[in-house]
């Protein structure tokens, strides 16, 4: 891009990161976040393992992996609707918006609900990012393209992060945070508050840490979710984990994220 565009995009990056990260990204989310790298997430889980072993408690740890998460981002969620014709500035109709979201793999019901949510405000708007910064980022992602090495054909991309974008991971974090906030809210309503750090005595209604079997610990490794729970009653532990994963699956599917259910290499061996 032209030098002036690069300067504007750099300024836009600084503005939105300062505003959005301080207020929008949950504390459970680690990776590409200042002061909260994935090493912190690993450290917290190891502390939890040590505590469970010390108190002779059962521990369940589940990692949830997404399929090509970076490429599944819905740009409309981040920036709002793009014009159907950039030359005339023609906007998409309500039916065209729903059809677009259905083409991404959403059901018509989920597409309708998401279309209405985007109309109320995109993620960057909700995070408090200035409209000028949103406009710059939006223009950079509108009909972005790439070409395979040695190929003369260019592929236009309308979904996912922009290839080579230096703050693409940060934009992904905001999109992921939007979904996880919904997960946290629904989990709390179901009686499963999701927390990052666990300190004996910090659990609701407990002074000795024994209420831990009512809480699922959650931490994000960029685009991988880790759920952990310690308990003396295995039935409670399994029920809480299953419910948390069910909520995560429902929220992600409504925004075109897909969970990888294939066994890992370590499981195969």
């Amino acid at each position: 891009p032209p030098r002036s565009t690069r300067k504007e995009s750099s300024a836009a990056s600084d503005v939105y990161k300062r505003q959005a990260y301080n207020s929008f990204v949950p504390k459970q989310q680690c990776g590409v976040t200042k002061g909260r790298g994935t090493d912190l997430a690993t450290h917290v889980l190891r502390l939890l393992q040590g505590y469970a072993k010390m108190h002779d408690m059962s521990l369940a740890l589940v990692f949830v992996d997404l399929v090509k998460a970076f490429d599944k981002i819905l740009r409309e969620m981040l920036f709002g609707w793009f014009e159907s014709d950039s030359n005339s500035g023609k906007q998409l109709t309500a039916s065209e918006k729903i059809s677009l979201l259905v083409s991404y793999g959403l059901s018509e019901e989920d597409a309708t609900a998401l279309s209405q949510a985007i109309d109320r405000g995109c993620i960057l708007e909700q995070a408090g990012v200035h409209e000028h910064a949103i406009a710059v980022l939006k223009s950079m992602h509108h009909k972005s393209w790439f070409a395979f090495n040695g190929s003369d054909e260019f592929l236009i991309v309308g979904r996912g992060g922009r290839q080579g974008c230096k703050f693409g991971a940060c934009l992904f974090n905001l999109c992921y945070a939007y979904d996880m906030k919904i997960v946290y809210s629904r989990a709390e309503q179901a009686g499963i508050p999701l927390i990052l750090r666990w300190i004996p005595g910090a659990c609701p209604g407990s002074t000795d840490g024994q209420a831990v079997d009512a809480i699922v610990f959650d931490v994000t490794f960029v685009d991988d979710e880790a759920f952990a729970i310690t308990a003396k009653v295995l039935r409670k532990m399994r029920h809480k984990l299953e419910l948390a994963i069910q909520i995560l699956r429902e929220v992600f599917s409504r925004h075109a994220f897909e969970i990888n259910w294939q066994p890992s290499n370590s499981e195969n061996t």
Side-chain angles (χ1 to χ4, degrees):
R3 181 173 299 178
S4 59
T5 303
R6 291 200 298 268
K7 289 181 179 179
E8 290 173 354
S9 64
S10 179
S13 172
D14 293 339
V15 170
Y16 96 80
K17 282 195 291 188
R18 283 198 305 270
Q19 293 176 336
Y21 267 77
N22 290 337
S23 61
F24 201 78
V25 176
K27 292 181 179 179
Q28 290 95 328
Q29 200 159 323
C30 299
V32 202
T33 303
K34 186 176 181 180
R36 296 204 305 274
T38 53
D39 55 341
L40 171 62
T42 302
H43 177 65
V44 171
L45 292 180
R46 284 178 175 172
L47 287 177
L48 187 60
Q49 286 179 312
Y51 180 84
K53 185 176 181 180
M54 182 186 302
H55 293 273
D56 194 26
M57 302 177 76
S58 298
L59 171 67
L61 181 60
V62 178
F63 283 90
V64 181
D65 177 49
L66 296 181
V67 178
K68 297 182 178 179
F70 185 81
D71 297 327
K72 294 292 182 70
I73 293 175
L74 300 183
R75 296 180 179 181
E76 289 77 12
M77 290 179 61
L78 273 170
F79 312 114
W81 299 107
F82 294 92
E83 295 83 3
S84 59
D85 186 344
S86 57
N87 294 325
S88 64
K90 182 181 178 182
Q91 302 294 322
L92 293 172
T93 64
S95 59
E96 287 175 335
K97 294 175 181 178
I98 295 174
S99 297
L100 176 64
L101 296 177
V102 169
S103 71
Y104 293 148
L106 273 66
S107 67
E108 188 165 344
E109 180 182 356
D110 290 341
T112 301
L114 182 56
S115 174
Q116 295 172 350
I118 295 173
D119 286 339
R120 291 193 293 269
C122 65
I123 291 176
L124 294 185
E125 289 175 344
Q126 295 181 37
V129 179
H130 194 278
E131 60 181 352
H132 292 166
I134 297 177
V136 172
L137 292 168
K138 185 176 181 179
S139 65
M140 292 174 60
H141 287 77
H142 185 41
K143 293 185 178 180
S144 61
W145 56 269
F146 71 95
F148 290 105
N149 188 26
S151 174
D152 295 331
E153 296 185 8
F154 296 93
L155 300 178
I156 304 297
V157 180
R159 180 182 179 184
R162 183 173 180 268
Q163 298 298 322
C165 180
K166 71 173 186 178
F167 42 87
C170 300
L171 285 170
F172 172 82
N173 259 8
L174 290 176
C175 192
Y176 195 91
Y178 178 83
D179 276 22
M180 288 310 299
K181 282 190 171 187
I182 299 175
V183 171
Y184 298 147
S185 176
R186 287 192 53 186
E188 189 171 1
Q189 292 174 4
I192 324 173
L194 301 178
I195 63 172
L196 169 61
R197 295 181 179 85
W198 182 77
I199 303 173
C203 300
S206 171
T207 56
D208 57 5
Q210 296 306 307
V212 69
D213 63 340
I215 295 180
V216 177
F217 303 92
D218 168 63
V219 64
T220 303
F221 293 77
V222 186
D223 64 338
D224 296 325
E225 209 65 28
F227 289 115
I229 187 170
T230 58
K232 291 185 178 295
V233 182
L234 294 180
R235 179 178 54 82
K236 288 185 178 182
M237 181 170 65
R238 180 172 181 175
H239 172 71
K240 296 289 185 181
L241 273 175
E242 288 179 347
L243 189 54
I245 294 174
Q246 178 185 346
I247 293 172
L248 185 79
R249 182 178 185 177
E250 291 176 356
V251 172
F252 279 175
S253 65
R254 290 173 183 173
H255 296 159
F257 280 134
E258 181 184 355
I259 294 178
N260 181 14
W261 296 105
Q262 297 298 320
S264 65
N265 293 333
S266 60
E267 291 173 314
N268 287 328
T269 57

